[in-house]
Amino acid sequence: MKKIFIDPPNSMILFDIVERLGHEPLSTMAALQERVDNLEIDMPPMNVTLDDVISGLKYAGIEVPSGIRGRLATWGPHIDEADAAIVMAEAPYSFGCVGCERSNEMVKYLLRRRGIPVLWVEYPGDKEAAMRMLEKTKEFLGGLE
Amino acid sequence: MIKIAQLSCGTEYSSVQSEIEKAAFSVGGKMVYPDVGADDIDAAVKEFGFNPRSPQLKLMIARAVQLAKGVYDADAVFIATCFRCAEAALVRNELRRYIQEHTKLPVVTYSFTERMKSAQLLTRMEALVTIVSRKELLARERQTGLTAGLDSGSSTTKALVMKDNKIIGKAWMPSYDVVESATTVLNQALEQAGYKLKDLEAIGTTGYGRFTLGRHFDAKLVQEELTVNSKGAVWLADRQKGEATILDIGGMDNKAITVRDGVPDNFTMGGVCAGASGRFLEMTANRLKIDVTELGKLAEKGDWRNAKMNSYCSIFGIQDLVTSLGEGKAFEDVAAAACHSVAEQVYEQQLQEIDIRRPIIQVGGTSLISGLVKEVGSVLGEMPIVPPDSQYIGAVGGALLSSGFLM
């Protein structure tokens, strides 16, 4: 079982595909769940704290807006520990979205910089394309073993 | 509860969302989030005409369109985005303009960092709530009875006594202990007016120390300085009807407020850098070994172009000043450069966040520094009106509005 970072990191569909194919998806949901479950943190709605935003400095400098650093602090550690990643380009908001395009770009860059295997797929426009995407994903994840 | 619609990007990932909600709640407001369907977003962005890359900015636009169309009901609007995000800054300002063009809702904009705390938002939120909940009081144009206003500012404390729409006593002093400073100036103002404290029918307090003074003097009105100063400014300038922009360059923060019939509908309050505040002019005067009251006249005689001073920071600004003096520049030119630097920064950092409406009324203690007023006029291309007693706006507003509580 490999740790797979998914992008958009809050995509339930990508999460489900990776899990069904026997791997561990690294997602925003998991990152936020850890924070929400921690009763000592009271920073609703997502329990992203000032310390998190400061720890985001590992990924982007102080001149970078706080919202980007907070986002990178949330899933940056997952990028660091991932064995591979699946990135879906041009996905609609309902598929998964993190709100900030600069953060999206930085996530893709961090993945490239790590040099781990990454599957780049386009959002499927119809059923056939979706089947092809699933096949490619299956093949990619299978090849990681 | 006053419903304040939040249009924002990045608050939940910057650890500031709970601070925003805390600030609103503490002044009787509640943050609300206009409902938007996923399908509405593209249509709203198309209608708005600006297509940002970031989805959360698209969501902000869709929420604004819901407000503009009256689909979602709110009393005021708070627009906030991350400090230093260029895309968000463009959207923030254009949305503010869009909301003002399509609704009558009061709007405040803010760019936050992860360090923002609820206290920094308190005055802005309080002003939004006041504008909505005290419409009748803010419409008041004449002072009645015998009332006093106390303005506890960061640099100076002011007291003013009014009777039947006339100023009959006033005094100010540098701020130290909040209650002692206010007691001293109030006693002086009362002595001038020929009355005792017990004769006053109502007191209104504003400024940083307003809550402490409100409790101490059992004030009928305890209100933030944005709405109180606006009322004081239009009363003093005799511009109660129509539109105007009020510019108050304070000791610690600056306020730029647009008003319609004396009631604010948009304001910006900055305090990020002391280089754009009255405090910098005080530091300049100290370095020139003159009293700050003499700085304006000196600056009027000088030409800012002859001395370099274009730093955004008061410390670096003073370094520029020291360098200029070391190079043998004339005191007049250095004083003019300091005034120009403050005027330019207020223009660049704050006045870009509102749509300036004529006339511009410059008030507050720094409006007595004639060199600064001249430079503000030169930067804006129009000389501001400086009404008489312009440093007493807060106290006048307090006396005027508190008379609204008399039976």
Side-chain angles (χ1 to χ4, degrees):
Chain A
M1 183 196 274
K2 299 286 185 187
K3 291 180 174 178
I4 312 297
F5 183 82
I6 56 173
D7 185 57
N10 56 350
S11 165
M12 301 297 280
I13 294 174
L14 281 181
F15 186 98
D16 189 52
I17 293 171
V18 171
E19 201 172 40
R20 279 171 189 254
L21 292 171
H23 293 279
E24 183 191 347
L26 300 177
S27 66
T28 306
M29 288 74 82
L32 295 178
Q33 188 69 46
E34 287 167 23
R35 290 171 167 80
V36 173
D37 286 348
N38 188 340
L39 296 176
E40 288 178 8
I41 309 175
D42 184 20
M43 195 61 71
M46 294 182 178
N47 273 1
V48 173
T49 65
L50 177 59
D51 287 345
D52 286 324
V53 186
I54 292 168
S55 70
L57 288 169
K58 178 181 173 188
Y59 305 99
I62 192 70
E63 73 275 20
V64 174
S66 54
I68 297 179
R69 279 182 284 127
R71 286 177 171 95
L72 294 178
T74 308
W75 50 76
H78 281 178
I79 296 173
D80 294 342
E81 65 172 314
D83 299 311
I86 301 173
V87 178
M88 181 171 284
E90 302 302 327
Y93 329 116
S94 52
F95 184 79
C97 138
V98 298
C100 171
E101 188 62 14
R102 306 293 160 257
S103 306
N104 288 340
E105 284 302 320
M106 194 62 189
V107 162
K108 291 172 181 62
Y109 170 72
L110 289 173
L111 288 170
R112 286 191 191 101
R113 205 176 65 179
R114 268 216 59 207
I116 54 175
V118 179
L119 175 67
W120 303 89
V121 289
E122 288 284 321
Y123 180 76
D126 54 35
K127 194 176 173 184
E128 275 184 22
M131 293 306 290
R132 279 200 302 276
M133 191 275 281
L134 267 176
E135 278 304 316
K136 275 173 81 174
T137 307
K138 200 172 166 185
E139 196 182 318
F140 174 74
L141 293 176
L144 295 174
E145 297 297 341
Chain B
M1 278 280 186
I2 302 299
K3 290 194 286 181
I4 304 170
Q6 181 176 327
L7 312 180
S8 63
C9 180
T11 53
E12 61 279 61
Y13 281 105
S14 298
S15 82
V16 299
Q17 181 58 38
S18 55
E19 298 294 326
I20 294 171
E21 288 173 12
K22 204 188 296 176
F25 184 76
S26 66
V27 294
K30 182 180 190 306
M31 302 312 295
V32 294
Y33 314 92
D35 303 321
V36 174
D39 296 340
D40 301 331
I41 298 179
D42 288 336
V45 168
K46 196 171 176 193
E47 183 180 328
F48 183 64
F50 186 113
N51 187 4
R53 288 287 297 164
S54 295
Q56 203 160 348
L57 295 177
K58 292 178 198 272
L59 177 62
M60 279 174 72
I61 293 171
R63 285 182 162 156
V65 170
Q66 296 291 86
L67 290 171
K69 288 185 171 169
V71 179
Y72 191 88
D73 185 35
D75 302 307
V77 185
F78 177 70
I79 308 177
T81 59
C82 294
F83 180 54
R84 295 195 195 100
C85 179
E87 186 183 36
L90 290 170
V91 172
R92 188 181 69 231
N93 201 39
E94 293 313 314
L95 275 187
R96 189 264 308 154
R97 194 168 280 150
Y98 175 83
I99 294 279
Q100 285 195 295
E101 283 169 3
H102 291 82
T103 75
K104 293 212 176 300
L105 301 173
V107 188
V108 64
T109 58
Y110 196 81
S111 66
F112 55 82
T113 71
E114 66 273 28
R115 305 272 174 187
M116 186 197 77
K117 293 293 168 206
S118 60
Q120 288 162 263
L121 288 180
L122 201 64
T123 301
R124 295 166 176 86
M125 290 291 185
E126 194 185 344
L128 277 182
V129 169
T130 302
I131 292 165
V132 177
S133 62
R134 290 186 159 174
K135 275 189 186 139
E136 280 179 31
L137 184 69
L138 291 180
R140 190 167 191 84
E141 293 178 2
R142 283 183 62 79
Q143 183 272 348
T144 53
L146 179 68
T147 63
L150 289 170
D151 180 1
S152 177
S154 65
S155 293
T156 57
T157 302
K158 284 81 66 178
L160 185 136
V161 179
M162 291 181 83
K163 185 167 192 270
D164 299 333
N165 212 35
K166 284 198 172 60
I167 297 170
I168 56 170
K170 62 196 176 192
W172 72 273
M173 69 179 297
S175 297
Y176 64 110
D177 178 89
V178 169
V179 173
E180 276 186 48
S181 311
T183 306
T184 306
V185 288
L186 181 59
N187 286 340
Q188 288 170 1
L190 282 166
E191 197 179 328
Q192 246 182 57
Y195 286 98
K196 302 272 183 218
L197 181 61
K198 64 178 171 51
D199 299 326
L200 290 174
E201 295 171 88
I203 292 179
T205 65
T206 189
Y208 288 98
R210 63 186 178 277
F211 295 112
T212 306
L213 294 185
R215 281 190 299 273
H216 182 82
F217 289 101
D218 193 19
K220 289 220 168 15
L221 175 94
V222 179
Q223 200 161 300
E224 39 62 44
E225 52 271 33
L226 286 159
T227 51
V228 174
N229 287 9
S230 301
K231 288 306 291 183
V234 295
W235 188 90
L236 283 167
D238 197 18
R239 297 274 177 165
Q240 308 237 32
K241 291 288 179 211
E243 298 185 329
T245 301
I246 294 156
L247 179 61
D248 180 0
I249 302 174
M252 206 160 80
D253 57 37
N254 306 325
K255 300 161 199 87
I257 310 162
T258 55
V259 294
R260 188 168 283 130
D261 295 338
V263 180
D265 57 0
N266 182 211
F267 48 82
T268 152
M269 188 176 167
V272 174
C273 180
S277 74
R279 188 78 71 205
F280 177 63
L281 296 177
E282 273 182 8
M283 290 162 75
T284 302
N286 284 342
R287 185 62 185 78
L288 296 176
K289 299 273 184 269
I290 56 170
D291 192 83
V292 71
T293 54
E294 301 165 52
L295 185 73
K297 289 275 172 255
L298 188 68
E300 275 192 281
K301 292 181 209 153
D303 183 345
W304 63 270
R305 293 168 194 83
N306 295 335
K308 174 182 165 283
M309 198 177 294
N310 54 6
S311 174
Y312 280 103
C313 164
S314 64
I315 302 297
F316 292 132
I318 293 298
Q319 280 183 6
D320 282 347
L321 186 149
V322 170
T323 307
S324 293
L325 291 176
E327 288 169 355
K329 306 285 185 197
F331 272 34
E332 291 84 352
D333 292 340
V334 171
C339 290
H340 186 80
S341 166
V342 170
E344 205 167 40
Q345 286 191 54
V346 168
Y347 176 69
E348 289 172 5
Q349 293 178 31
Q350 286 199 273
L351 295 178
Q352 300 302 317
E353 291 189 15
I354 59 167
D355 287 325
I356 295 174
R357 296 177 191 154
R358 265 63 186 179
I360 299 152
I361 305 172
Q362 192 172 344
V363 290
T366 56
S367 63
L368 302 178
I369 301 173
S370 53
L372 177 63
V373 177
K374 179 185 157 195
E375 293 302 334
V376 167
S378 124
V379 168
L380 296 181
E382 177 183 317
M383 281 305 284
I385 297 169
V386 179
D389 295 320
S390 58
Q391 73 274 40
Y392 286 102
I393 36 155
V396 169
L400 169 65
L401 292 176
S402 65
S403 75
F405 290 90
L406 303 182
M407 301 306 268

